[in-house]
Amino acid sequence: MIWEVFRQEDAGDYHEHCGNVHAPDRDMALMFAEIQHARRKPTNSLWVAPKPEIGEVDTEDAKFGGTTDKSYRWASTYDFEAAASEVAESTDEQVEAERRRKVQQEKKEAKGGD
Amino acid sequence: MDIEEVKRRAGPREFSPKDDLPEEYRKAATRMIQFHANSEIMGAYLERPFIREAPSLDRKLAFSAKVQDEIGHGQLLYRAAESLGLKTRDEMLDELANGDGKFLNCFHYPMNDWEETPLIAFFVDGAAMRRQATLKRTSWEPYAHAMDKVCFEEGFHVKHGEAILHELMTGTKREQELTQEAFEEWWPRIIQFFGPTNDKSTHHDFASEVGLKQMGNDELRTAFLNAYIPKAKKYGLEIPDEPRIRENDDGTYEVVEDDLDWDEFFTIAKNDYEGSHTQINGRKAAQDAVEWVREVLDEREEREFGTSQQQAAD
Amino acid sequence: MAATESLPAPGELSDDQREAVEHLLYRLADDEFVIAERYTEWQVKAPTLESDLALSNIAQDELGHSRLWYDLLEDFEYTESQLVWERDPGEWRHSTLAEQPFEDGDWADPIVRSYLYDQAEHIRLEALQDSTYPRIRDRVPKIVQEEDYHREHAQNWMERLAEDEDGIRKLQEALDRLFPHALTLFAPTDEAVEERIDDLGLRTKSLRVMREEWLDVVVPYLQDLGLSVGDAELPEQYDVHHSEFDLPEHVGRDQTHSDAWFDLQEEFTHTYRRLDRKQANRIMKDPDDS
């Protein structure tokens, strides 16, 4: 069976997908993943999950974020000066995320062509 | 997706297992990546006796690590090929054992002595590294991901090869002579690593049009000669008279194709050379001998997951 | 915790002390080098790509350990060439377990060999943790951590092979062949020197005591897997294992070795001799500087 491997570089980081191993069970998968995926890169922890167990939904199946106006859930819609720095930071992060989402949309539309 | 759309969209990492790609693309990509994976395994198989022969502890460690990396690269590449949905890893490994799997020309030749090792480890790996760097922009995303890892690891291989060459060429007169002899024997094979010139390469055009192949054989060869001829000279190696190589004003190289033995190359490409049989069958015997272990693992997997998968379906 | 007494620096040891330290270091270094050399035979020949990578890693770990131990012998003015490449094969002190050749396809062998060896290694390293010789004491922690993986690896494989009819038969065959050689891990190089090693506190457990500990761990483990350990099985009325085992013809520790060893030594020194090398070249920093 194929096991997907996720590597956490430092304590506190997210685990990121870094590849896979073939193994008959979880303990062997962990044992092999240790060698294959943590030999040279800094590693704090590794996860393995059986490939068939990994579900996926992608942008073609699900319109991530919705297609109708959802601006009510964005801080940038509201016109007040941020009450404190953390409110401002949160607003800025959301503005950046929305900007990147728009860029992604535009790229897709350009490729779609028809 | 039809093939025209594939060609239109072809760009770095453009296609992934989610895409509904035409069979022509899948076949071309599988062939290319499978060849690459097979070459890693057969390269490792050629080099492994030299772990034992290494004349120092550090060199032995490095050689063991290099061979290990190559098996690791094979693992990554078979996965990238498998992800195209045409062949499983097991099927590709079976093809390799049966003589149906193709691999790099250089690994069909015997390697008997220590002084030959830098020809593979420095020159051939150097050539491979250049090609692999360009493949980071290949259109099949899993292949490009594999190249990220391979390139990350490969630098040490080339330096290891260079260190061995350096040691030999700054060694005794006899070591230098032996190395020069080995260089003369391997040099034409190394030039042929890049395959036939663009005109004669059967698969080239399609692979380029769909973004799988990023650089033509001739350009890669020129890039290699640019970097490695000076290195060879720096270490005191004499470039053999044949094949005749002319440097043009624009920095490109012309190789007199007729000076190379293309009959031998095409025999090798069919796995029909004497060395081909030795290498393929040698590896096959070793792998057959451990088939019993794979069976044990498969049975365990079936016991542990075979039943549970049925339950999940219910 | 009481402070461990320390022996003087390498250059200041008495002849007797130095002889004891050297014997101990040769056991350690030669074991690791030779077993590593054998493990590398499986590179590109392992049953799966993943298992190939794992065994290669173990081989490199062991070779790295041998490098650390040979480095301590270099404190006594020996060079790597003298210790490894030019040393008479009849002078090596590794256990004959390490030198045994493999049969094609016999994956059970490196697994059983590793299990027996790594359990002994664990016990041996524990006994060196508080060595009165600081140079040895200081190297143990790094090595111990890598050895944990080796033991886990061997056990995982043993358990899976033992679940299968073919697998358990092959494990038993390997065990029958390797067990007597594994006992040589605990054989003395020289009775007087071994006593001195213990008296000086270079090792905090004697060979006898370590062997008992080892048997107490491996025999029940192997029996639980369904394997039989013949002579080593603990007869009910005793609480100590047989004190006299039949050791193989060649014991290794006393510098007697099988033909297979002499062939192996010839192979790994082949290039060094053919190219008339006088020194072994370094890539890495001295362990003291890294």
Side-chain angles (χ1 to χ4, degrees):
Chain A
M1 178 176 316
I2 295 174
W3 298 73
E4 299 296 344
V5 182
F6 301 84
R7 198 177 109 255
Q8 179 199 46
E9 196 166 301
D10 257 314
D13 287 344
Y14 291 106
H15 281 72
E16 266 180 34
H17 182 237
C18 63
N20 53 68
V21 292
H22 277 241
D25 58 60
R26 191 173 61 198
D27 282 344
M28 295 295 263
L30 284 168
M31 197 174 77
F32 290 145
E34 261 185 72
I35 300 307
Q36 205 164 326
H37 295 285
R39 208 152 84 241
R40 285 187 177 97
K41 295 245 174 157
T43 304
N44 194 62
S45 141
L46 287 175
W47 289 345
V48 298
K51 184 170 174 41
E53 287 302 312
I54 301 201
E56 181 177 5
V57 58
D58 68 31
T59 187
E60 266 157 41
D61 307 322
K63 301 297 166 197
F64 292 125
T67 48
T68 57
D69 194 341
K70 309 284 180 198
S71 58
Y72 52 81
R73 55 166 90 121
W74 293 90
S76 43
T77 307
Y78 300 88
D79 215 0
F80 307 108
E81 209 182 298
S85 66
E86 58 272 18
V87 179
E89 252 176 67
S90 164
T91 308
D92 288 344
E93 270 187 58
Q94 289 183 12
V95 165
E96 174 61 12
E98 182 59 13
R99 184 192 71 77
R100 287 170 61 184
R101 205 170 78 90
K102 285 222 170 78
V103 169
Q104 190 191 59
Q105 270 303 101
E106 280 158 19
K107 261 208 233 159
K108 267 185 61 193
E109 275 155 28
K111 269 192 222 160
D114 40 33
Chain B
M1 221 187 293
D2 67 9
I3 211 64
E4 288 314 309
E5 192 183 341
V6 171
K7 289 184 184 177
R8 194 168 43 80
R9 283 176 54 179
R13 307 183 185 223
E14 179 66 24
F15 305 121
S16 74
K18 288 202 288 279
D19 290 307
D20 179 26
L21 291 157
E23 181 134 336
E24 207 184 336
Y25 180 92
R26 290 178 190 276
K27 278 197 169 138
T30 303
R31 179 176 46 239
M32 197 174 155
I33 304 170
Q34 186 177 358
F35 181 95
H36 196 163
N38 291 345
S39 301
E40 294 284 347
I41 305 300
M42 296 311 286
Y45 185 71
L46 185 65
E47 289 187 300
R48 60 174 297 290
F50 294 94
I51 303 167
R52 167 111 345 135
E53 298 239 346
S56 80
L57 284 177
D58 287 6
R59 202 66 82 197
K60 194 182 285 282
L61 280 161
F63 236 119
S64 171
K66 177 177 197 290
V67 170
Q68 180 192 32
D69 280 354
E70 280 151 15
I71 297 298
H73 296 171
Q75 197 272 357
L76 294 173
L77 290 163
Y78 284 121
R79 185 72 205 110
E82 211 177 35
S83 66
L84 286 149
L86 295 181
K87 292 182 190 175
T88 63
R89 178 169 110 176
D90 278 348
E91 281 166 355
M92 291 185 272
L93 287 169
D94 281 344
E95 284 179 10
L96 184 60
N98 295 336
D100 294 326
K102 309 283 180 16
F103 56 98
L104 192 63
N105 70 318
C106 295
F107 304 142
H108 293 246
Y109 296 100
M111 191 158 73
N112 297 312
D113 297 308
W114 182 256
E115 61 269 15
E116 296 180 76
T117 63
L119 279 318
I120 299 290
F122 184 50
F123 292 101
V124 175
D125 278 359
M129 217 184 153
R130 173 54 61 112
R131 188 169 161 269
Q132 279 154 191
T134 69
L135 288 171
K136 282 190 187 188
R137 298 172 53 79
T138 190
S139 58
W140 184 240
E141 184 193 76
Y143 193 16
H145 283 171
M147 289 300 97
D148 289 338
K149 285 212 186 67
V150 168
C151 290
F152 171 71
E153 294 186 343
E154 195 95 3
F156 126 67
H157 298 185
V158 177
K159 289 210 166 164
H160 158 83
E162 187 166 0
I164 295 176
L165 181 65
H166 170 86
E167 191 178 85
L168 287 164
M169 294 307 286
T170 55
T172 62
K173 186 151 176 295
R174 179 155 171 267
E175 285 180 78
Q176 293 172 35
E177 283 167 7
L178 288 171
T179 310
Q180 177 66 36
E181 262 172 51
F183 184 65
E184 286 171 23
E185 187 178 8
W186 281 89
W187 182 243
R189 304 165 184 175
I190 292 167
I191 308 280
Q192 289 185 309
F193 165 102
F194 300 97
T197 182
N198 288 350
D199 297 340
K200 301 220 178 86
S201 173
T202 34
H203 299 299
H204 170 79
D205 286 334
F206 182 76
S208 289
E209 284 166 21
V210 295
L212 282 169
K213 197 164 164 171
Q214 287 295 315
M215 209 187 257
N217 292 352
D218 292 346
E219 291 96 300
L220 281 169
R221 191 159 77 181
T222 290
F224 169 77
L225 293 170
N226 260 317
Y228 288 83
I229 285 185
K231 280 278 190 180
K233 289 183 176 165
K234 171 178 158 193
Y235 287 111
L237 289 168
E238 275 171 41
I239 312 291
D241 292 332
E242 282 197 2
R244 283 166 287 173
I245 302 178
R246 253 191 333 262
E247 193 179 347
N248 298 325
D249 291 331
D250 63 357
T252 56
Y253 287 91
E254 295 288 333
V255 175
V256 179
E257 301 293 333
D258 285 344
D259 285 355
L260 292 163
D261 189 343
W262 291 107
D263 283 340
E264 187 173 280
F265 182 85
F266 287 113
T267 305
I268 281 175
K270 293 196 292 245
N271 285 344
D272 258 340
Y273 188 66
E274 192 188 318
S276 318
H277 300 139
T278 312
Q279 294 304 101
I280 293 170
N281 294 331
R283 187 190 155 270
K284 174 177 171 33
Q287 284 301 317
D288 284 349
V290 280
E291 174 67 28
W292 69 272
V293 182
R294 289 191 285 276
E295 282 168 11
V296 172
L297 295 179
D298 283 345
E299 277 162 33
R300 183 187 168 94
E301 185 178 317
E302 215 173 278
R303 274 199 312 274
E304 191 153 324
F305 294 100
T307 336
S308 64
Q309 271 170 0
Q310 253 177 5
Q311 285 171 356
D314 289 346
Chain C
M1 202 194 312
T4 311
E5 285 168 39
S6 286
L7 284 172
E12 287 151 34
L13 296 169
S14 71
D15 286 348
D16 269 2
Q17 290 171 333
R18 179 176 154 161
E19 188 186 25
V21 171
E22 282 196 26
H23 273 229
L24 183 53
L25 288 173
Y26 277 117
R27 296 174 77 102
L28 290 165
D30 291 351
D31 274 355
E32 300 279 65
F33 180 89
V34 179
I35 211 171
E37 192 64 72
R38 279 298 184 209
Y39 286 153
T40 62
E41 275 172 47
W42 284 96
Q43 291 196 240
V44 196
K45 296 187 169 185
T48 66
L49 300 177
E50 285 81 4
S51 53
D52 213 303
L53 298 176
L55 193 63
S56 303
N57 224 64
I58 292 174
Q60 285 158 41
D61 282 351
E62 301 295 33
L63 197 51
H65 301 168
S66 80
R67 185 176 163 269
L68 291 176
W69 297 129
Y70 285 125
D71 184 63
L72 294 191
L73 282 161
E74 289 179 20
D75 288 345
F76 301 120
E77 310 298 306
Y78 300 118
T79 63
E80 183 184 315
S81 290
Q82 289 168 316
L83 293 165
V84 181
W85 309 102
E86 294 169 12
R87 192 158 129 227
D88 190 312
E91 287 177 17
W92 289 58
R93 292 196 180 277
H94 51 279
S95 152
T96 53
L97 177 68
E99 75 200 34
Q100 296 307 303
F102 297 114
E103 296 237 347
D104 285 344
D106 190 8
W107 183 249
D109 184 325
I111 298 305
V112 173
R113 182 181 308 208
S114 162
Y115 174 72
L116 296 172
Y117 181 79
D118 292 326
Q119 287 293 8
E121 188 67 358
H122 179 69
I123 292 169
R124 165 158 83 174
L125 289 171
E126 248 178 21
L128 294 174
Q129 261 166 199
D130 294 314
S131 173
T132 51
Y133 191 61
R135 295 285 276 157
I136 288 179
R137 203 163 66 220
D138 293 340
R139 301 248 147 136
V140 169
K142 266 199 198 148
I143 293 179
V144 154
Q145 288 178 45
E146 290 185 344
E147 295 288 349
D148 284 344
Y149 182 89
H150 302 182
R151 271 200 333 282
E152 201 188 308
H153 175 268
Q155 284 171 198
N156 278 341
W157 272 107
M158 294 212 52
E159 283 150 28
R160 282 151 187 78
L161 290 177
E163 284 170 358
D164 177 270
E165 220 179 282
D166 244 352
I168 198 150
R169 185 175 46 84
K170 293 216 158 75
L171 284 174
Q172 185 66 63
E173 280 167 16
L175 184 60
D176 291 342
R177 195 180 350 109
L178 296 173
F179 193 81
H181 292 288
L183 290 168
T184 72
L185 287 163
F186 305 99
T189 56
D190 169 295
E191 297 274 9
V193 176
E194 295 293 352
E195 216 179 290
R196 204 182 311 144
I197 289 175
D198 294 336
D199 290 341
L200 289 172
L202 292 175
R203 185 171 60 203
T204 55
K205 287 179 193 157
S206 71
L207 293 172
R208 288 256 139 147
V209 167
M210 290 196 290
R211 193 182 70 187
E212 279 307 301
E213 270 185 36
W214 179 76
L215 288 166
D216 283 344
V217 169
V218 308
V219 173
Y221 179 80
L222 294 166
Q223 286 177 323
D224 282 347
L225 285 179
L227 296 163
S228 119
V229 206
D231 274 355
E233 268 147 23
L234 193 52
E236 276 191 23
Q237 65 272 40
Y238 296 104
D239 57 8
V240 182
H241 296 265
H242 286 209
S243 55
E244 295 316 320
F245 283 99
D246 283 329
L247 288 181
E249 188 192 336
H250 305 114
V251 169
R253 296 304 189 205
D254 61 356
Q255 299 173 316
T256 62
H257 293 279
S258 59
D259 287 344
W261 160 243
F262 293 99
D263 290 341
L264 178 61
Q265 191 268 357
E266 222 179 273
E267 276 176 37
F268 73 71
T269 56
H270 171 74
T271 295
Y272 186 94
R273 287 180 287 112
R274 180 174 164 266
L275 296 181
D276 224 0
R277 289 282 166 95
K278 302 284 181 257
Q279 67 181 42
N281 288 324
R282 287 282 151 96
I283 307 166
M284 297 187 283
K285 292 196 208 135
D286 190 292
D288 292 320
D289 300 331
S290 50

